[in-house]
Amino acid sequence: MKRVLFKTAARQLGANKAATLFMCAGIMVGIAVLTIVIALSQGTKARILERIDRMAASDTFTVRTSPWGQGGGGMGSNSGAFLLSFEDILSLQEQIPGVTAALPALNARGTVTSGKSVMDSVSVQGVVQEFQQVRNSTVQSGSFFSDFDIKEGSRTAIVGPAVANHFFPGENPVGEMIQVEGMQLEVIGVLTSRGATGKGSNADEIILVPHTLFTKMFQPAGLSTVTVKVDNIADVERLADETKAFLEALHPGQEIYVRVPMTTVGTRQETSRTLSLYLTVVAIVALLVGGVVMMNLTSLSISARTREIGLRKALGARNRDISQQILFETAMISALAGLTGILLGILLTILLTARLELQALLSWHAPVAGLIFALLIGLLFGVRPANRAARLDPVTALRSVG
Amino acid sequence: MKNKAELSLNAFTLVLRTVAVNKKRCLFAVLGIIIGVAAVTTLVSMGYSAQRALANELEKLGTNILIVEAARASTGQGRGGQGSTVKTLSESDIGSLTDEVEGIAAAVPVLQLQGEIKSGANVVKTSVLATRDTFAEIRGLTTADGRLFLEEEDAAARRVILLGKTVAERLFDVPEPVGEIIRVNNVLFEIVGILSERGLDSNGEDQDDFVIVPLTTAQRRLTGEKYLTHIYIRATDTESIPAVKEGITAVLRIAHRLGESEPADFNILDQTELLEARTDILGSVEDLVGILAVVVLLAGGLGITAVQLISIRERTWEIGLHRAFGARKKDITIQFLFEAAILGGIGGLAGAVLGLITPLAVAVIFSLEPAIAWPTLFISLIISVMIGIAAGLYPALYASRLDPVVALRSA
Amino acid sequence: MLKLENVIKVYTANENNVDALQEISLQVPSRIFLAIQGQSGSGKSTLLNILGCLDRPTSGTYTVDGADTGKLSDDGLASLRNQRFGFIFQSFNLLPRFNALENVMLPFLYSPSPPENPRAVAQQMLEKVGLGNRMHHLPGELSGGQQQRVAVARALVNKPGVILADEPTGALDSKSSREIVDLLAELNAEGKTVIIITHEADIASQCPYVLTLSDGRITDLKSPKNAKVSQKVVASL
C-alpha cells in the first residue's frame, strides 16, 4: 500500500512544477493583459482630448490693446491708440513662466499681383518663427521661413492654396515671383489648406511674410493684438490674467484686454464622457478576461496539488501546517506572478506604442487593481479548495483525479 | 460488424456522457472560447458605438458644413471688399444644387456686405450677413436673448436684425438691447435677437463680430444686387463631404456654363481643421479597438491552450486505458474530435450570444448608438473555436500514438 | 495457446538501452493458471504486457492461437486485445467519473460485434463478481476490493479467453486480496487462462504453475506434478 502511495505521490511532485508554472503563467498573462489594455485605452483617451483642445486652440489666449468689436486688430491706424512693441512681446515670452510663445498679430490687407492677374484685399500676415507651432499651420510644399529670412526680412513669401491656385493654377508656385504692395517677393512655400474660418471666409486666401519684411511694407506703428500660447491648458486663464497685469505694469495708465478662447466645452465633456464609458467597459472586460484565465489555471493547478497534499499528510503533516503552507505559497506565487505580469505588461505596452501609432498612459491604477484581483483569485480559487483538500484523508486525496 | 453510423453514434454518445460527467473540466475549456468571442466582440462593438458617438459630437461643431464662395475676378477691378468677386452665384444655383447633388441636407443663400452700424454715438464696422431664416439652424446658431427672425419677416422684407455678442456689447451698455432701433448703412433696423457667444476661433478671430439680416430686406434696402457671395450647405453626413464637393463642382460648372478649361468661378470651403481633427480622433479609436481585439483574443487563446495542456496528463492515462481495452487510434481521434467540436460549438454559441447582448445592453443603458461588429464576431468565433478544437485534439493525437503501456503509466 | 519464441524487449530511456526481456521462449496452452514472480525490474510486467498485446517485442515472435502478432497492425492488435484478453491492473484503473456499470461496459465500445443488450451483459458480470447491488456507484464510493472486482467484471465482459492480472492484490488488504484470488481461481476453473503477476509468495503458491523471472530471463518454472504433456507450460530457461 505504501509503495503505491509513494509511487503516485512522487509522480505528483513532478507534475506540480508544471501546475505551478501554469498558475504563474495564468496570473502573469491576466495582469499583463489588464495593464496593457488599460494603459492603451487611457492613452488614447488623453490623445483624443488633447486633439480636441488643439483643434479649439484651447492652449492660447489673445491680448489686445483695444476692446473687441472695434474692428481693426492689427496695426492700429487709429491715431493715438496705444500699441504694444516687439520688446513687450519678447519680455512676455521671457518673463512669464508657462508661456511658450507670443505671436504678434501683424495683419493687413494688400493687393497682390503676378503677371496680369490681380488679387486685392488679400490677408497679409507678418510672422515669426513660432507661427507654425502656435497656429497649427504647416507648409505642404516648399519650406517655411528660415531664421535668417525672419531676421533679415528677406523678400520671401509663403502663400495659401487659394492664392497659389489663383496665380499659378495647376503648377507649383515655389520659386515664382509675386508683387505684394509693390514689392517683389519670391514664393518659397505653400500652406496646407485650412478651409473656412470660423466666420465663413476663406482661410486659404492668405500670404505670409517675415515680420521684419511686413514692417518695411506696412510700417505699422505697433502691435494691437498678440496671441499667446501656453504650456499647460489648465493654466490658460491664470496666465491670461498674469499677462494682463504684466503688460499693464509695463505701460501704466493703459488698459490691456485679454480673452480666452471658448473651449468647445460641450464637445469636450461629451467626448470625455463617451471615452470614459468605453474605458470602463474595456476595464471590466479586461478584468473578466484576465480573471477567467487566472481562475482557470489556478483552479486546475490546485486540483493537481490535491495529491501532493495527500502525500504530505501521509508523511505526517497536520491540517494546520498544510493550510499555512498553501496560503503562503499561493500568496507568494500570486504576488510574484502579479509583479512579473505588471512588468511584462509595461514592457509590452512600451513595445506596442513604439511600433504602432498608439499612445499609452501608464498609471498605477490598473496594475494595483490587477494585483489585488490576482490575490483575490488566488484566495478564492487556490487557497479555499486547497484547504478543503487538506481536510481530506490522505488516501482519498492521493486517489483524487482533480 | 458495426457499420460506420453505429460507430459514430457510439462515439457521440460516449462523448456526451464524458462531457456530462466532466463538467468542471469542460467548463474551463469552454470558458476560454466564450471569453475569447464575447470579450472581443464586445470591445469592438462598443468601440464602434463610441466612434459614432464621437463623430456625432464633432458633427455638432459643423464637420458637415460646406461653404460655396464666389471666387475672385481674375483681373482685378474695383477696390476692396466684394467689388472684386464674381457675380455668378445666385439663388437658382441653390435650386440646382439641392435637386441634383446627392447628400445635401440643406442649402441657404448668403450675401455678405460691409456694414456700418450706428446706435446713438456708437459706431461699429462689421460684416453683415444677409440670409434666410434657416441659416441659424444650419450654422448651429442660437440666441442668448430674443429670437431669430422668421420666414414671414424675410418674405415681407422686414427690417429686423440679429446682433453678434461683440457688436451688441460695443453698441450698447445695457445688457438687453432687444427691441432697440439701430442704423445699418443708414437704414433703420430693429434688434430682435442677440446671438449666443461663440468666442474666438483657433486663429484668435472673433466669431461674434457680425450681424444677420433677412436676405430680401438686404436686397431691397441695403443693396440692389441679386447675386450671392456664399451658399452655405449642410451635408447629410460628414463621410459624404468629398462626394458632395465633387457634386457641387460638377453642377455649378454646368449651371455657370463654364468650359472645360475655364477655372471655376467659385470655391468650396470645408471645415478643414475640424475634419482633420475628426479623422485623427476617429482613427485613434479605430487603432485602439484593433489592438485591444488582438490582445484579448490572444489572451483568450492562451487560456484555452493552457487549460488543454494541463488536461493532457489526465487524458493520456484515460486514453491509454481505452486503448488497453481495444480502442484504435481512429476511435480515439473521432471521440476527441467530437468532444472538441461539441465544446467548441457550445462555447462559440454562448460567446456569440454574450458578445451580441453585452454591447447592445451597454449602449441602451448609456444611450449610445448600438453597433454590432459582425465581422469581428465571426472572425473571433472562428479563431476561438479553431484554437479550442486544435488545443483539444492535440492531447488525443499525442496520446493515441503512445504505447498503451506508457500512457497508462502516466496516471 | 500463447507462444513466445526468442522474444527480446529493449527499452530506450534517455539514450540508455534497458534490456527488459532477454530471449524469452514460452508456451502457454489454454486453461492454465500461471503466476509470474520476480524482483522488481525482473521484466515481469513487460512480459505480461507483451502477452496481452499491449506492447510488441523488439525481436522474436509472439503467436496467439496461431496468429503471428508481428504481422498485425496496431489496429489489429487493438482488436485482438478487445476480443481475446482481459486486463486487471494493480491500481484498478477505473474511470473515476463513470459508475461501475459504465466502467464495465467500456470494452463494448470497441468490439466489432457487441451484444444486443450490452447493459444486460455488463449487469450480469457485475452480479457474477458479487456487485449486482452496486452498479451505479462511482469508483470513489467503492472500497478497494470492490473496485478491483469491477475491474474483473470489465475484463470478462467480452468473454476473452485469457485474463491477465498485474499485481491485482497489491493495493488491497488481506481479506480483499483473498477474495480476488479466489475469484480468479474460479474463472480459471470455468476454463479461462489466467496469468497473474505477484510478488506475494502465498498467492503464487495457489497457482499450479509459477514462472520466475530475473533480469529479463526465466530462471525457474514450477509445474504441477501430474501435468499432461500436451497441456504443459513450456519455457526455455
Side-chain angles (χ1 to χ4, degrees):
Chain A
M1 177 58 172
K2 279 260 163 91
R3 270 185 23 177
V4 177
L5 234 79
F6 265 66
K7 260 180 27 183
T8 344
R11 254 184 251 136
Q12 279 329 297
L13 282 176
N16 273 333
K17 286 203 198 108
T20 317
L21 204 70
F22 275 122
M23 176 170 159
C24 270
I27 294 185
M28 263 172 54
V29 167
I31 296 209
V33 164
L34 198 67
T35 310
I36 295 177
V37 158
I38 296 201
L40 288 178
S41 312
Q42 283 187 334
T44 304
K45 173 177 172 191
R47 182 191 209 180
I48 291 182
L49 287 178
E50 183 235 9
R51 187 67 180 86
I52 291 187
D53 286 333
R54 189 151 54 97
M55 173 185 81
S58 312
D59 57 354
T60 61
F61 62 88
T62 310
V63 179
R64 275 174 60 121
T65 55
S66 56
W68 272 265
Q70 291 225 325
M75 309 159 324
S77 38
N78 308 334
S79 45
F82 162 68
L83 300 167
L84 294 170
S85 66
F86 250 101
E87 285 71 46
D88 291 325
I89 308 258
L90 292 171
S91 327
L92 236 186
Q93 268 181 204
E94 283 161 24
Q95 299 196 13
I96 301 192
V99 166
T100 318
L103 212 62
L106 294 165
N107 295 321
R109 295 220 163 241
T111 307
V112 185
T113 41
S114 176
K116 287 244 166 64
S117 295
V118 177
M119 255 180 123
D120 61 354
S121 195
V122 176
S123 174
V124 181
Q125 269 193 43
V127 301
V128 296
Q129 197 54 261
E130 290 88 350
F131 176 83
Q132 288 185 100
Q133 182 195 13
V134 178
R135 286 275 181 250
N136 276 341
S137 194
T138 51
V139 172
Q140 62 169 307
S141 61
S143 58
F144 196 73
F145 303 113
S146 63
D147 284 333
F148 177 81
D149 289 330
I150 299 221
K151 198 158 153 255
E152 299 299 314
S154 2
R155 300 196 173 203
T156 48
I158 297 177
V159 299
V163 176
N165 284 337
H166 185 92
F167 291 113
F168 313 104
E171 299 165 12
N172 187 351
V174 176
E176 301 284 353
M177 304 300 283
I178 56 174
Q179 275 107 15
V180 181
E181 291 289 303
M183 258 196 228
Q184 275 268 72
L185 303 177
E186 182 192 345
V187 178
I188 65 165
V190 182
L191 288 172
T192 49
S193 174
R194 297 276 97 222
T197 65
K199 285 172 84 165
S201 46
N202 194 339
D204 295 331
E205 277 189 4
I206 191 172
I207 294 195
L208 305 181
V209 297
H211 70 88
T212 31
L213 181 62
F214 184 94
T215 312
K216 280 189 216 149
M217 284 166 68
F218 294 96
Q219 284 113 34
L223 303 164
S224 72
T225 310
V226 181
T227 305
V228 181
K229 181 166 166 144
V230 305
D231 276 332
N232 196 339
I233 289 188
D235 297 329
V236 165
E237 286 217 35
R238 176 179 64 84
L239 288 172
D241 290 335
E242 269 186 46
T243 305
K244 177 174 151 85
F246 177 82
L247 289 173
E248 282 174 352
L250 273 182
H251 304 276
Q254 298 298 342
E255 193 171 350
I256 301 286
Y257 302 86
V258 291
R259 215 160 140 190
V260 172
M262 257 176 75
T263 49
T264 40
V265 164
T267 310
R268 200 180 193 285
Q269 262 177 8
E270 270 309 301
T271 306
S272 189
R273 174 183 168 265
T274 305
L275 290 172
S276 296
L277 179 63
Y278 186 61
L279 242 132
T280 314
V281 170
V282 164
I284 294 181
V285 169
L287 266 173
L288 276 173
V289 171
V292 164
V293 171
M294 286 194 270
M295 175 189 88
N296 263 11
L297 297 177
T298 307
S299 249
L300 287 170
S301 79
I302 287 297
S303 309
R305 301 193 72 187
T306 310
R307 286 177 256 194
E308 173 205 343
I309 292 175
L311 170 66
R312 288 185 199 260
K313 290 196 77 176
L315 293 175
R318 294 166 297 175
N319 285 6
R320 208 182 328 144
D321 297 328
I322 301 219
S323 296
Q324 267 180 7
Q325 183 217 359
I326 296 283
L327 188 66
F328 179 68
E329 281 183 22
T330 311
M332 225 182 61
I333 294 179
S334 303
L336 274 172
L339 281 167
T340 320
I342 294 178
L343 276 167
L344 189 70
I346 294 180
L347 246 124
L348 281 174
T349 307
I350 295 179
L351 199 80
L352 282 170
T353 48
R355 294 228 139 202
L356 307 165
E357 288 251 350
L358 288 167
Q359 193 170 319
L361 217 62
L362 285 165
S363 70
W364 55 268
H365 299 100
V368 167
L371 260 176
I372 297 181
F373 201 54
L375 283 170
L376 260 166
I377 298 248
L379 260 164
L380 262 173
F381 292 94
V383 176
R384 257 189 26 171
N387 280 337
R388 237 183 291 137
R391 272 178 244 128
L392 293 174
D393 70 87
V395 182
T396 323
L398 277 166
R399 268 206 235 137
S400 85
V401 196
Chain B
M1 283 302 262
K2 280 184 187 168
N3 57 14
K4 279 212 175 130
E6 255 189 77
L7 282 165
S8 302
L9 188 59
N10 276 342
F12 196 66
T13 324
L14 171 70
V15 167
L16 281 180
R17 186 93 184 99
T18 310
V19 171
V21 296
N22 280 314
K23 284 200 201 68
K24 190 160 157 214
R25 175 164 56 77
C26 290
L27 185 68
F28 283 149
V30 180
L31 221 50
I33 299 183
I34 296 182
I35 288 290
V37 179
V40 176
T41 312
T42 302
L43 281 180
V44 176
S45 302
M46 289 240 55
Y48 284 161
S49 288
Q51 230 188 16
R52 296 239 192 110
L54 292 180
N56 288 342
E57 234 0 84
L58 289 170
E59 206 160 78
K60 289 190 201 153
L61 293 177
T63 51
N64 57 347
I65 303 284
L66 287 173
I67 301 178
V68 179
E69 173 194 65
R72 293 176 166 268
S74 51
T75 51
Q77 320 168 47
R79 343 173 66 229
Q82 65 284 8
S84 54
T85 55
V86 297
K87 302 187 184 191
T88 50
L89 217 52
S90 68
E91 288 199 59
S92 64
D93 285 335
I94 296 191
S96 314
L97 290 176
T98 42
D99 283 340
E100 293 166 45
V101 180
E102 275 205 47
I104 293 188
V108 74
V110 172
L111 173 61
Q112 187 169 336
L113 326 154
Q114 275 301 98
E116 196 183 66
I117 323 269
K118 286 200 197 125
S119 167
N122 294 329
V123 180
V124 171
K125 288 211 176 96
T126 184
S127 305
V128 176
L129 297 186
T131 180
R132 300 274 177 233
D133 57 301
T134 43
F135 180 79
E137 190 214 310
I138 290 189
R139 264 321 237 159
L141 300 174
T142 51
T143 44
D145 228 357
R147 59 170 176 87
L148 303 168
F149 64 78
L150 309 162
E151 201 190 341
E152 305 89 75
E153 289 170 322
D154 182 17
R158 285 269 140 76
R159 283 167 286 146
V160 289
I161 185 169
L162 295 168
L163 300 186
K165 193 150 189 297
T166 308
V167 177
E169 279 172 359
R170 278 307 303 146
L171 287 178
F172 295 95
D173 288 326
V174 290
E176 286 166 37
V178 174
E180 297 285 333
I181 307 287
I182 54 173
R183 285 177 185 277
V184 179
N185 292 356
N186 278 323
V187 179
L188 293 172
F189 275 82
E190 181 194 346
I191 303 175
V192 294
I194 311 290
L195 296 168
S196 311
E197 185 180 0
R198 288 199 297 158
L200 306 179
D201 70 2
S202 50
N203 285 326
E205 283 193 32
D206 188 351
Q207 296 182 93
D208 301 309
D209 189 3
F210 70 108
V211 298
I212 304 183
V213 298
L215 181 59
T216 323
T217 314
Q219 282 168 337
R220 265 192 231 167
R221 309 288 192 145
L222 297 176
T223 165
E225 305 283 6
K226 290 288 184 191
Y227 67 89
L228 302 173
T229 52
H230 301 84
I231 298 179
Y232 275 56
I233 294 185
R234 188 178 71 215
T236 41
D237 55 72
T238 312
E239 272 88 30
S240 52
I241 290 274
V244 173
K245 271 168 116 173
E246 278 185 32
I248 296 176
T249 309
V251 169
L252 283 185
R253 287 192 73 100
I254 295 178
H256 292 189
R257 295 184 224 274
L258 293 172
E260 273 206 33
S261 51
E262 283 182 67
D265 55 358
F266 56 90
N267 298 319
I268 308 181
L269 309 175
D270 58 25
Q271 312 292 315
T272 324
E273 271 201 65
L274 277 181
L275 288 176
E276 281 175 4
R278 180 182 184 277
T279 313
D280 264 356
I281 291 175
L282 297 187
S284 291
V285 176
E286 187 105 9
D287 290 340
L288 176 69
V289 166
I291 268 289
L292 290 185
V294 170
V295 168
V296 171
L297 204 61
L298 277 177
L302 246 115
I304 298 173
T305 321
V307 166
Q308 297 293 21
L309 282 177
I310 292 184
S311 73
I312 282 183
R313 177 160 282 120
E314 195 177 301
R315 321 235 36 209
T316 306
W317 165 80
E318 192 183 314
I319 292 174
L321 186 68
H322 280 254
R323 295 203 64 209
F325 282 96
R328 297 160 299 172
K329 289 193 193 131
K330 215 182 306 183
D331 296 314
I332 305 291
T333 316
I334 293 182
Q335 283 173 25
F336 272 74
L337 202 61
F338 273 139
E339 183 181 309
I342 292 177
L343 291 180
I346 297 179
L349 203 68
V353 167
L354 254 180
L356 278 172
I357 296 183
T358 318
L360 284 175
V362 176
V364 163
I365 295 178
F366 292 98
S367 32
L368 286 173
E369 221 179 290
I372 296 289
W374 292 106
T376 311
L377 183 64
F378 288 127
I379 293 180
S380 60
L381 193 65
I382 292 176
I383 293 184
S384 297
V385 171
M386 264 171 48
I387 296 182
I389 292 186
L393 266 182
Y394 174 61
L397 295 174
Y398 166 72
S400 67
R401 264 178 230 136
L402 288 176
D403 260 327
V405 189
V406 178
L408 273 171
R409 259 194 246 134
S410 73
Chain C
M1 162 77 94
L2 311 171
K3 195 152 136 190
L4 289 158
E5 281 176 293
N6 302 320
V7 163
I8 298 181
K9 179 68 187 179
V10 179
Y11 286 116
T12 322
N14 304 336
E15 296 176 11
N16 296 333
N17 287 344
V18 176
D19 296 335
L21 291 178
Q22 306 191 37
E23 288 249 16
I24 304 274
S25 292
L26 178 67
Q27 251 175 255
V28 182
S30 40
R31 297 168 177 267
I32 295 292
F33 194 177
L34 171 68
I36 303 179
Q37 66 177 21
Q39 304 283 17
S40 67
S42 57
K44 45 191 205 292
S45 283
T46 314
L47 178 60
L48 197 74
N49 289 337
I50 291 187
L51 282 170
C53 297
L54 271 178
D55 203 354
R56 288 183 192 270
T58 313
S59 72
T61 350
Y62 176 39
T63 349
V64 175
D65 291 339
D68 183 357
T69 61
K71 297 213 167 66
L72 290 176
S73 65
D74 282 346
D75 282 0
L77 278 187
S79 197
L80 204 59
R81 285 199 293 272
N82 181 269
Q83 296 293 292
R84 304 287 185 92
F85 297 93
F87 288 93
I88 299 168
F89 303 94
Q90 179 176 12
S91 44
F92 324 134
N93 279 351
L94 297 178
L95 291 170
R97 286 197 232 281
F98 290 88
N99 64 29
L101 193 63
E102 287 168 327
N103 265 289
V104 171
M105 292 201 303
L106 176 63
F108 285 145
L109 281 172
Y110 308 111
S111 317
S113 40
E116 285 267 324
N117 193 344
R119 264 181 193 265
V121 177
Q123 200 168 327
Q124 252 178 20
M125 289 304 155
L126 278 171
E127 281 160 7
K128 186 183 167 73
V129 299
L131 287 173
N133 56 343
R134 298 253 199 275
M135 283 192 301
H136 301 291
H137 281 66
L138 294 175
E141 296 161 353
L142 301 170
S143 74
Q146 289 169 328
Q147 288 186 53
Q148 195 63 297
R149 279 191 268 162
V150 173
V152 172
R154 175 176 65 186
L156 291 174
V157 96
N158 261 334
K159 307 206 196 314
V162 183
I163 303 285
L164 301 165
D166 189 345
E167 307 259 17
T169 59
L172 301 175
D173 58 57
S174 48
K175 175 162 178 284
S176 307
S177 295
R178 240 177 297 130
E179 284 174 4
I180 293 293
V181 175
D182 289 344
L183 188 52
L184 288 174
E186 199 183 303
L187 292 174
N188 176 247
E190 288 170 10
K192 300 209 188 286
T193 308
V194 177
I195 305 179
I196 166 174
I197 293 184
T198 182
H199 64 278
E200 289 178 53
D202 52 338
I203 292 184
S205 63
Q206 289 187 34
C207 303
Y209 289 91
V210 181
L211 196 69
T212 310
L213 285 181
S214 178
D215 288 329
R217 288 185 199 281
I218 301 177
T219 52
D220 187 51
L221 173 61
K222 184 187 115 200
S223 309
K225 297 209 172 57
N226 48 349
K228 294 206 191 101
V229 172
S230 59
Q231 288 163 5
K232 231 168 66 142
V233 173
V234 178
S236 61
L237 290 148

